[in-house]
């Protein structure tokens, strides 16, 4: 187990290193940040000063090496735009994104699992057909459009929910959370639902497929033959076995929700990391882009590891070993 | 009679709907949503107009700009030229910073010394103070600014520089401003709270020296997504938005839930042309796609033909939905240094074809017209429209619209043959666009910084240089007009139109709209009481 973890850590470090090189070169190739950040009124002298101040006068490999040296000390650079440490900027916005992602995941499981079970157990019922047709919509409607439609219906027409933004926050453990206030929850509802739509469909389909497959298994037949109640068969024997694919996908989806909820965050003006990264890309704020992607890579690596650990807990046949 | 009854009933219903949707707006609070990112509360960190808008709410400047972008007194009550290189500013007495400190000449000297020293600034305000060689404090309410050379636009430049307090801000960092620790100015609003990328909260400065704003509390939210910003207004979450998207304009104009304000701006949208590459421009080929061996844009007849081929009124009415003013020069005709009677060139495709034939291109040529697709109002659509208009006169145009981040780098490396850009004149007068856009590229003079087509005309430069030394307003304006006329007759650039700025708000509000695009809470006020019966 220890060897396994160590090897995973080493792999992760290599991935992060590769990532930083790719991002560095990528941002360099897009364009010159000074062109974008500088006031149009600036003259040539001021441009040269700004290029120097941001450290962009050095050759790229030198910029990269100094970034690497600082990164090893835990300093991922200062944002060109905000003049604040990139890491701090990102961490400040993390709670907003985390509550959005977990909110979406919660909604997805709350709605997706029961509907999927139902559709799997009664595949020929009219209700199941409606659920499956609905899940196709969830897959195929673009989040951007759905988000705007939600705003039009619930905020503009009905006036039930606030259209955009994050509600008032409460400080817990030094971080600002909004899901602990009623108004905060009202602000959270629409963006979380918008983000959850795709995942609801995914969970429904996974659960349904799992249930249908498992129902034909010998052990289910045997459990039935033994005279166990249908509820016990479903919730103990079937449910536990279909959870493995669901946990894998939900774990990875959680990662991509945290990392790439860019569209939802911009439509709802949700001040999270996704909005920060898209704003940073628009002005080529390289320190923030690099730091953000490094954090995301780290997060995916961690989630993958946790998913693997969850496997072995759910299914004793899976062993984490070093073969 | 029936119709008016129904209209009244509809109005009542919609008013009721609005009040349901918006229980929050009290008479003293204002929630605004702006489209552009505020990057810093340090007024000397990042020279950018959204930051200036915020700075002029929290701070004041020695000189200020009125709604028409004319210079007016700010913290300086008056100023005069003592010698050609010495300006004397009389400061406003009795002005206090938000923390109670008095504003004096020391603070002016401190501010001018601080501006060029802000660390890591991606775009420094030093360009507005560089002309000043030293500051002489005559008495607590009089300063003399010594410039290296005669510098007539000093009052315009000082309108960009927020005055800080020596006692409070000595050694203060940009982070101290963003955290609110030293976000202390003399401005009409006081700092309450700032969440970067989300919102800024302000309260009225009851001790303000000028007209006190109407609003006790202001929430200044940043909502870059156009559709969401409009929806937030319609939902009643915000009272006021800027940068109204033209696609929503038609429906907002019909809506009785929204009042629109518009104002002719100072931003010219134009085409820059490749004036370099005599051996052939990178994106131009002959009608068969073979290299031409020369740059057709060097021929004035070709440049004229391309300019008169453009149907500017059609772009203004169809693409821009009436939110632009066709133009034949840098600035609106009323601005300082603009030519009052110079109208936009008349559209004439037949004459354009003739000009092309005279220049030796009876079959036209091929060109790529580039532009950004995320920077100016409807930028990509304007480029497409012009592409069609040019193709109609035989210049087969390929259109290439890209994100600003990639586009502007290519334009700056002279890789493009013709491209659309915009220019907002921060000083509100003509020396600013002349100097940046058409003066020959020259590092030592600081000329032609945004002259990406590298136009160069010694006659224009000479007139401009004379104007930049001339302290007499009448003579300077004449020189600036001469320079503008020379550049326009030579088609240095092809002006398209001047943008109108748009704001939308609840019908109960009014906005004193500004030509310089700034969105500030002190310019919003309640609408005068409506007559009882309509």
């Amino acid at each position: 187990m220890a060897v396994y973890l160590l090897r995973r850590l080493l792999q992760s470090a290599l991935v992060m290193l590769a990532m930083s090189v790719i991002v560095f070169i990528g941002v360099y190739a897009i364009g010159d940040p000074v062109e974008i950040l500088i006031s149009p009124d600036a003259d040539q002298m001021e441009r040269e000063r700004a290029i120097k101040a941001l450290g962009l006068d050095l050759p790229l490999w030198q910029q990269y090496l100094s970034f690497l040296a600082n990164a090893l000390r835990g300093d991922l650079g200062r944002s060109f735009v905000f003049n604040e440490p990139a890491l701090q900027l990102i961490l400040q916005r993390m709670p907003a994104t985390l509550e959005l992602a977990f909110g979406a995941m919660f909604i997805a499981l709350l709605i997706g699992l029961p509907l999927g079970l139902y559709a799997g157990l009664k595949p020929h019922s009219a209700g199941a057909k409606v659920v499956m047709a609905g899940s196709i919509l969830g897959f195929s409607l673009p989040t951007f459009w759905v988000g705007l439609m939600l705003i039009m219906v619930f905020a503009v027409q009905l006036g039930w929910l606030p259209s955009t933004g994050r509600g008032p926050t409460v400080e817990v453990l030094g971080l600002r959370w909004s899901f602990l206030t009623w108004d905060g929850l009202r602000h959270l509802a629409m963006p979380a639902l918008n983000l959850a739509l795709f995942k609801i469909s995914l969970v429904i389909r996974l659960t349904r497929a799992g249930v249908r497959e498992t129902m034909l298994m010998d052990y289910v037949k045997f459990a039935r033959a033994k005279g166990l109640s249908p509820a016990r068969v479903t919730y103990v024997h079937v449910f536990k076995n279909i959870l493995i694919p669901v946990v894998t996908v939900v774990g990875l989806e959680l990662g991509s929700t945290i990392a790439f909820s860019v569209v939802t965050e911009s439509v709802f003006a949700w001040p999270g990391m996704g909005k920060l990264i898209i704003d940073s890309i628009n002005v080529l704020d390289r320190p923030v882009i690099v730091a953000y992607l490094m954090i995301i890579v780290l997060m995916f690596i961690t989630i993958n590891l946790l998913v693997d650990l969850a496997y072995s807990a759910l299914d004793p046949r899976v062993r984490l070993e070093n073969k | 009679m029936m119709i008016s009854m129904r209209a009244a009933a509809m109005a009542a219903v919609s008013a009721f709907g609005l009040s349901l949707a918006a229980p929050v707006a009290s008479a003293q609070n204002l929630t605004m949503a702006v489209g552009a990112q505020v990057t810093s509360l340090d007024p000397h960190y990042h020279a950018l107009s959204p930051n200036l808008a915020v700075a002029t709410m929290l701070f004041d400047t020695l000189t200020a700009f009125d709604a028409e972008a004319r210079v007016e007194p700010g913290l300086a009550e008056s100023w005069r030229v003592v010698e050609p290189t010495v300006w004397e500013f009389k400061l406003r007495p009795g002005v206090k910073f938000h923390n109670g400190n008095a504003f004096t000449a020391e603070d002016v000297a401190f501010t001018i010394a601080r501006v060029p020293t802000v660390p890591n600034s991606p775009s420094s305000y030093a360009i507005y103070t560089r002309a000043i060689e030293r500051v002489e404090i005559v008495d607590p309410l009089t300063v003399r600014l010594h410039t290296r050379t005669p510098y007539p636009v000093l009052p315009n430049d000082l309108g960009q520089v927020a005055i800080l307090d020596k006692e409070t801000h000595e050694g203060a960092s940009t982070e101290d401003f963003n955290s609110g620790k030293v976000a202390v100015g003399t401005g009409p609003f006081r700092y309450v709270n700032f969440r970067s990328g989300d919102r800024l909260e302000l309260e009225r400065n009851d001790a303000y020296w000028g007209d006190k704003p109407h609003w006790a509390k202001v929430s200044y939210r940043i909502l870059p997504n156009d559709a969401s910003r409009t929806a937030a207004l319609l939902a009643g979450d915000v009272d006021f938005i800027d940068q109204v998207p033209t696609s929503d304009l038609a429906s907002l104009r019909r809506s009785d839930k929204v009042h629109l304000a518009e104002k002719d701006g100072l931003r010219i949208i134009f085409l820059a042309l490749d004036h370099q590459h005599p051996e052939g421009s990178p994106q131009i080929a002959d009608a068969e796609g073979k290299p031409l061996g020369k740059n057709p844009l060097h021929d004035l007849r070709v440049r004229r033909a391309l300019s008169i081929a453009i149907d500017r009124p059609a772009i203004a009415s169809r693409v821009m939905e009436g939110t632009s003013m066709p133009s034949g020069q840098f600035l609106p005709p009323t601005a300082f240094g603009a030519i009052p009677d110079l109208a936009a060139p008349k559209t004439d495709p037949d004459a354009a074809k003739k000009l092309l034939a005279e220049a030796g291109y009876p079959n036209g040529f091929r060109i790529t017209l580039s532009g950004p697709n995320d920077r100016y109002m409807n930028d990509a659509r304007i480029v497409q429209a012009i592409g069609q208009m040019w193709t109609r006169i035989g210049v087969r145009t390929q259109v290439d619209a890209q994100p600003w981040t990639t586009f502007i780098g290519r334009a700056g490396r002279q890789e493009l043959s013709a491209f659309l850009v915009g220019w907002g004149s921060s000083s509100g007068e003509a020396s600013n666009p002349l100097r940046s856009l058409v003066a020959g590229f020259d590092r030592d003079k600081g000329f032609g910084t945004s002259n990406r087509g590298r136009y160069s005309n010694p006659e224009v430069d000479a007139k401009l240089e004379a104007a930049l030394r001339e302290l007499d307003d009448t003579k300077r304006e004449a020189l600036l007009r001469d320079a503008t006329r020379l550049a326009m007759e030579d088609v240095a650039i092809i002006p398209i139109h001047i943008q109108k700025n748009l704001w939308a708000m609840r019908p109960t509000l009014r906005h004193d709209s500004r030509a310089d695009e700034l969105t500030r809470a002190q310019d919003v006020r309640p609408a005068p009481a409506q007559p009882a019966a309509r």
Side-chain angles (χ1 to χ4, degrees):
Chain A
M1 182 77 180
V3 179
Y4 173 82
L5 281 178
L6 203 69
R7 214 169 71 166
R8 288 289 290 251
L9 279 177
L10 204 70
Q11 281 172 354
S12 319
L14 282 177
V15 171
M16 288 181 74
L17 193 72
M19 189 72 198
S20 68
V21 176
I22 294 170
V23 175
F24 233 79
I25 296 174
V27 176
Y28 183 79
I30 298 176
D32 177 5
V34 172
E35 271 297 347
I36 291 146
L37 293 173
I38 204 154
S39 157
D41 283 340
D43 55 19
Q44 290 90 337
M45 256 165 73
E46 164 55 21
R47 265 165 212 268
E48 285 163 23
R49 189 210 55 79
I51 289 171
K52 228 177 143 81
L54 301 181
L56 298 167
D57 52 337
L58 304 172
L60 188 63
W61 61 268
Q62 222 169 321
Q63 293 179 39
Y64 179 71
L65 285 187
S66 72
F67 160 78
L68 209 59
N70 288 330
L72 289 177
R73 289 198 306 268
D75 173 10
L76 292 177
R78 289 177 92 83
S79 158
F80 294 159
V81 179
F82 300 103
N83 196 22
E84 286 179 36
L87 198 60
Q88 180 191 322
L89 268 176
I90 295 165
L91 293 182
Q92 268 171 7
R93 311 232 178 161
M94 202 177 243
T97 296
L98 285 183
E99 64 188 22
L100 187 60
F102 280 102
M105 234 51 242
F106 179 72
I107 295 176
L109 292 176
L110 197 72
I111 299 177
L113 277 179
L115 287 183
L117 266 179
Y118 168 72
L121 291 172
K122 296 203 168 65
H124 301 297
S125 68
K129 285 185 180 136
V130 171
V131 168
M132 293 319 288
S135 78
I136 294 175
L137 282 185
F139 269 123
S140 46
L141 293 177
T143 32
F144 186 79
W145 182 81
V146 175
L148 287 174
M149 285 303 116
L150 287 174
I151 293 177
M152 286 316 287
V153 174
F154 292 105
V156 177
Q157 300 297 336
L158 299 171
W160 291 351
L161 293 169
S163 62
T164 47
R166 193 173 178 220
T169 53
V170 180
E171 198 163 315
V172 179
L173 303 170
L175 296 170
R176 309 196 136 269
W177 303 95
S178 78
F179 72 98
L180 297 169
T181 64
W182 173 239
D183 199 29
L185 278 179
R186 290 185 49 205
H187 279 86
L188 184 61
M190 273 201 294
L193 179 65
N194 188 39
L195 207 53
L197 220 52
F198 178 85
K199 285 165 243 306
I200 294 173
S201 316
L202 199 65
V203 173
I204 289 177
R205 299 212 142 226
L206 277 172
T207 314
R208 175 181 177 270
V211 169
R212 294 212 62 189
E213 207 182 301
T214 320
M215 288 307 274
L216 303 175
M217 291 292 189
D218 289 344
Y219 63 83
V220 175
K221 286 183 189 154
F222 183 72
R224 280 219 187 110
K226 225 164 70 173
L228 294 181
S229 72
R232 190 167 163 82
V233 173
T234 308
Y235 294 110
V236 177
H237 297 268
V238 175
F239 198 63
K240 229 175 157 180
N241 279 291
I242 60 164
L243 273 184
I244 289 179
V246 174
V247 166
T248 315
V249 172
V250 163
L252 289 177
E253 273 295 310
L254 180 68
S256 61
T257 311
I258 293 172
F260 309 116
S261 48
V262 177
V263 172
T264 299
E265 286 192 6
S266 16
V267 171
F268 290 95
W270 190 261
M273 301 190 300
K275 200 156 156 291
L276 177 70
I277 184 73
I278 200 74
D279 292 344
S280 301
I281 291 173
N282 282 335
V283 294
L284 295 180
D285 193 348
R286 193 178 64 197
V288 178
I289 304 175
V290 176
Y292 179 80
L293 290 172
M294 303 283 281
I295 291 178
I296 294 309
V297 171
L298 187 69
M299 187 185 74
F300 268 100
I301 290 168
T302 318
I303 289 177
N304 268 330
L305 189 65
L306 290 179
V307 167
D308 285 354
L309 294 175
Y311 269 1
S312 70
L314 280 172
D315 186 345
R317 285 172 304 179
V318 180
R319 290 275 173 265
L320 299 177
E321 349 178 276
N322 181 26
K323 277 180 196 150
Chain B
M1 190 59 205
M2 270 310 284
I3 292 165
S4 72
M5 284 283 281
R6 251 175 68 186
M10 295 264 287
V13 167
S14 67
F16 179 65
L18 188 68
S19 67
L20 261 186
V24 271
S26 92
Q28 290 276 299
N29 293 356
L30 178 70
T31 307
M32 311 168 76
V34 295
Q37 187 78 250
V38 177
T39 64
S40 181
L41 293 192
D42 181 342
H44 302 155
Y45 175 65
H46 190 180
L48 198 71
S49 61
N51 288 347
L52 183 67
V54 166
T56 53
M57 292 194 276
L58 287 169
F59 306 90
D60 282 307
T61 44
L62 280 185
T63 60
F65 293 104
D66 68 6
E68 310 298 330
R70 286 177 304 231
V71 178
E72 64 174 7
L75 284 180
E77 273 184 327
S78 65
W79 53 89
R80 68 193 177 95
V81 181
V82 185
E83 284 168 45
T85 59
V86 182
W87 292 71
E88 184 174 277
F89 287 82
K90 285 277 179 207
L91 306 183
R92 199 173 289 278
V95 175
K96 294 254 189 292
F97 284 92
H98 299 157
N99 58 8
N101 289 355
F103 158 69
T104 66
E106 289 283 345
D107 301 320
V108 176
F110 166 74
T111 298
I112 290 170
R114 180 182 188 261
V115 167
T117 62
V118 177
N120 303 331
S121 164
S123 179
S124 168
Y125 283 80
I127 46 176
Y128 303 115
T129 59
R130 196 182 288 147
I132 302 167
E133 191 175 28
R134 68 189 172 90
V135 182
E136 178 193 346
I137 298 173
V138 179
D139 64 56
L141 291 178
T142 312
V143 281
R144 285 187 171 180
L145 304 181
H146 295 251
T147 58
R148 288 187 180 85
T149 52
Y151 193 73
V153 289
L154 187 65
N156 304 62
D157 278 4
L158 289 176
Q160 312 275 343
V161 181
I163 299 294
L164 298 183
D165 178 24
K166 184 169 194 279
E167 275 175 67
T168 315
H169 297 111
E170 191 109 61
S173 71
T174 299
E175 275 161 312
D176 294 335
F177 281 91
N178 293 345
S179 69
K181 209 168 105 192
V182 294
V184 170
T186 57
F189 290 98
R190 303 163 69 101
Y191 170 94
V192 177
N193 184 19
F194 176 53
R195 276 185 275 160
S196 170
D198 183 24
R199 70 187 66 189
L200 170 69
E201 274 157 21
L202 301 167
E203 63 182 17
R204 181 169 52 214
N205 172 13
D206 284 313
Y208 188 55
W209 56 267
D211 293 337
K212 287 181 195 54
H214 178 81
W215 312 103
K217 286 207 160 61
V218 173
S219 179
Y220 194 80
R221 292 179 56 188
I222 298 154
L223 276 180
N225 186 287
D226 283 342
S228 313
R229 200 164 57 248
T230 312
L233 177 70
L234 291 174
D237 290 342
V238 303
D239 307 316
F240 184 95
I241 61 171
D242 69 355
Q243 296 182 23
V244 181
T246 53
S247 51
D248 295 337
L249 211 54
S251 65
L252 289 180
R253 280 205 176 113
R254 278 196 309 270
S255 166
D256 52 3
K257 285 182 175 184
V258 171
H259 172 78
L260 282 166
E262 63 176 45
K263 176 93 185 168
D264 292 344
L266 294 170
R267 186 175 296 280
I268 176 83
I269 300 296
F270 64 94
L271 302 183
L273 303 173
D274 177 16
H275 292 276
Q276 286 192 316
H277 303 108
E279 71 294 343
S281 190
Q283 295 180 325
I284 297 181
D286 73 0
E288 274 75 51
K290 293 188 200 74
L292 271 167
K294 58 180 176 173
N295 183 352
L297 300 175
H298 280 201
D299 192 319
L300 174 60
R301 289 168 296 193
V302 174
R303 299 202 295 272
R304 274 214 184 113
L306 292 178
S307 176
I308 61 174
I310 299 170
D311 189 348
R312 292 174 177 80
I315 294 177
S317 65
R318 308 262 172 76
V319 180
M320 299 296 291
E321 305 264 350
T323 59
S324 70
M325 188 168 59
S327 179
Q329 55 183 325
F330 303 109
L331 288 166
T334 49
F336 186 88
I339 304 166
D341 57 353
L342 180 60
K346 277 215 172 60
T347 317
D348 193 343
D350 296 327
K353 271 185 208 158
K354 254 183 225 145
L355 278 169
L356 280 181
E358 277 173 39
Y361 303 98
N363 300 321
F365 52 87
R366 293 188 190 189
I367 190 168
T368 303
L369 177 64
S370 309
N373 58 14
D374 55 359
R375 180 80 171 182
Y376 309 108
M377 283 161 76
N378 303 322
D379 38 17
R381 290 176 58 206
I382 301 171
V383 171
Q384 280 164 9
I386 294 174
Q388 287 171 11
M389 292 165 186
W390 280 3
T391 304
R392 211 166 49 193
I393 61 160
V395 177
R396 284 180 57 190
T397 310
Q398 198 190 332
V399 166
D400 182 12
Q402 300 172 3
W404 177 256
T405 41
T406 47
F407 161 78
I408 196 62
R410 298 188 63 203
R413 289 192 298 270
Q414 282 76 49
E415 289 174 14
L416 308 176
S417 291
F419 52 97
L420 176 129
V421 265
W423 182 267
S425 291
S426 60
S427 66
E429 48 79 62
S431 81
N432 172 287
L434 279 166
R435 181 185 181 133
S436 297
L437 302 179
V438 295
F441 187 83
D442 185 329
R443 180 186 182 277
D444 295 330
K445 291 184 200 151
F447 276 13
T449 34
S450 292
N451 181 355
R452 299 188 177 91
R454 295 287 186 267
Y455 175 74
S456 171
N457 182 344
E459 274 184 274
V460 174
D461 293 4
K463 293 277 183 197
L464 175 63
E465 276 180 65
L468 288 175
R469 282 193 304 268
E470 180 56 63
L471 289 163
D472 182 280
D473 280 352
T474 320
K475 286 185 194 156
R476 187 166 82 249
E477 183 159 30
L479 284 166
L480 291 173
R481 283 180 178 159
D482 288 349
T484 304
R485 201 183 298 274
L486 281 170
M488 291 304 146
E489 277 169 5
D490 201 22
V491 199
I493 60 163
I494 301 180
I496 308 292
H497 58 233
I498 289 170
Q499 282 184 359
K500 288 183 185 175
N501 305 320
L502 288 169
W503 292 267
M505 62 209 82
R506 284 175 190 280
T508 53
L509 297 177
R510 289 295 176 270
H511 182 234
D512 301 322
S513 306
R514 294 175 64 85
D516 58 13
E517 304 179 3
L518 300 189
T519 302
R520 317 182 307 175
Q522 61 261 47
D523 303 325
V524 185
R525 56 190 165 78
Q530 298 284 325
R534 260 206 292 182

